[in-house]
Amino acid sequence: MMNWKQMALGAVGAITLLSLVACGGNTGTNGSMGSGAGGTDIVVKDNTNPSVYQSFKLEKIDKIANIRGVDWLSSDLILLDKPNQDLKPVTVEGEERYPHNIYMHDLAKGTDTLIKESDASIAAPMASPDRQYVFYREPEESVGKGFILNLNNGESVQTGKDMGFVGEGAWLDNTHVVYPNMEGNLVSADVEGNTKVLVEVGSFNIRSVEVSGSTVYYITGEDGQLNAYDAETGEVKQVLKSVEWVIPSNDGTRLAIVKKTADTKRALVLTDLEGNEKATLARGTQIFGTSWSQDDSKIAYTINSESDNEKGLFVSNTESAEQFQISADMDNVSDPLAWSPEGSKILLSQSVLDSAGYHFETSIITISE
């Protein structure tokens, strides 16, 4: 079968495909979505809210129906999780459901190309920093077996025999992924499928695994203990408690932390690597999808709140802490937000309800400096 790079050469050129830049991000949740076939309708919404934000101007929002975009493969290609309607469906609770497979979507052409076909559903695809591999799981409810797909030859290898939570994990480098297993260990796997236990945590509840340089951050326990594992020295240190999500900056000098301040209150704060707070960027009932821009000058995130002017998609300047609301309608994201390689677009997917029922919708938010 022709690999995805060969299929895309006419669209983006070989040089573009060989010089992709990592986006990074944190984990999301799994779910179903619509057909998302090639030629999907795209709705373009111009900015009607004049921006007073000093760091950028919102140009437009492109909405793509029935598509669940999860990551960037280049400035023009995004990674998709969607049902493969060319395969045989299975009946679940009286409803026919097609296996989820991995595709890429060409933003310029509006077409989808199948990357990985499988009769077993595939969930939570996560591209490596150099965009040569994709880590994913074959889910059985909230857990599943892990696999690494080689995008050059289309072959997949299983990452050991351990089951892991769908959507939990991060790339340690271009050839190693790190994730928690069901035995309470932090494990690494290379692109040939070999695994190694990094830390015997002893906790079934390991979550929010993120990587910055040689440091692996993860949260354990009911008290939200943030830990940092040094992959070079093997040392583990406790950083901060009451943490729900951690997102390291790209340069590895700061942390964006979503912390619980009350039963129904969360705050997005910037800290140094020791957990000392430097600025509070946002507050809300829940804060999801947090993602740093490539140059770490901005952070995008979504807020759940009862007030329209306090919910939706926001971007904050990480130096001044100035906040700008992009849309009040984008408060229920399905996956982490992702900045495009050049930093001018934000990828966001959410589940929306219309007359046909629930389906996924992907938004491409374009900004300019």
Side-chain angles (χ1 to χ4, degrees), residues 16-46:
T16 301
L17 290 169
L18 293 174
S19 59
L20 306 177
V21 182
C23 290
N26 59 309
T27 57
T29 56
N30 182 39
S32 302
M33 75 178 203
S35 61
T40 305
D41 291 338
I42 299 178
V43 178
V44 179
K45 296 177 66 177
D46 292 324

Side-chain angles (χ1 to χ4, degrees), residues 278-311:
K278 301 300 181 181
T280 298
L281 300 183
R283 300 182 187 275
T285 303
Q286 293 286 356
I287 301 174
F288 294 121
T290 309
S291 178
W292 294 80
S293 62
Q294 297 305 307
D295 62 0
D296 293 326
S297 66
K298 296 177 283 293
I299 286 184
Y301 51 91
T302 64
I303 301 177
N304 291 151
S305 177
E306 295 179 357
S307 175
D308 281 348
N309 64 354
E310 296 177 354
K311 74 172 187 177

Side-chain angles (χ1 to χ4, degrees), residues 20 44 78 84 98 111 138 149 232 247 269 305 322 356-357:
L20 306 177
V44 179
I78 58 176
N84 186 347
Y98 293 90
T111 56
E138 291 185 354
L149 168 67
E232 294 181 349
I247 310 92
V269 299
S305 177
E322 183 181 15

Side-chain angles (χ1 to χ4, degrees), residues 148-166:
I148 294 179
L149 168 67
N150 185 326
L151 292 178
N152 293 287
N153 58 26
E155 296 180 358
S156 291
V157 297
Q158 186 172 338
T159 56
K161 298 180 179 180
D162 292 341
M163 301 284 278
F165 285 105
V166 173

Side-chain angles (χ1 to χ4, degrees), residues 5 20 47 72 84 105 109 114 134 169 241 275 277 332:
K5 287 187 177 180
L20 306 177
N47 177 27
W72 295 87
N84 186 347
H105 180 80
K109 294 183 176 181
L114 180 64
V134 172
K241 291 185 182 294
E277 294 186 17
N332 292 311

Side-chain angles (χ1 to χ4, degrees), residues 243-257:
V243 179
E244 295 198 340
W245 305 98
V246 58
I247 310 92
S249 62
N250 294 303
D251 65 5
T253 63
R254 291 175 288 176
L255 302 175
I257 288 175

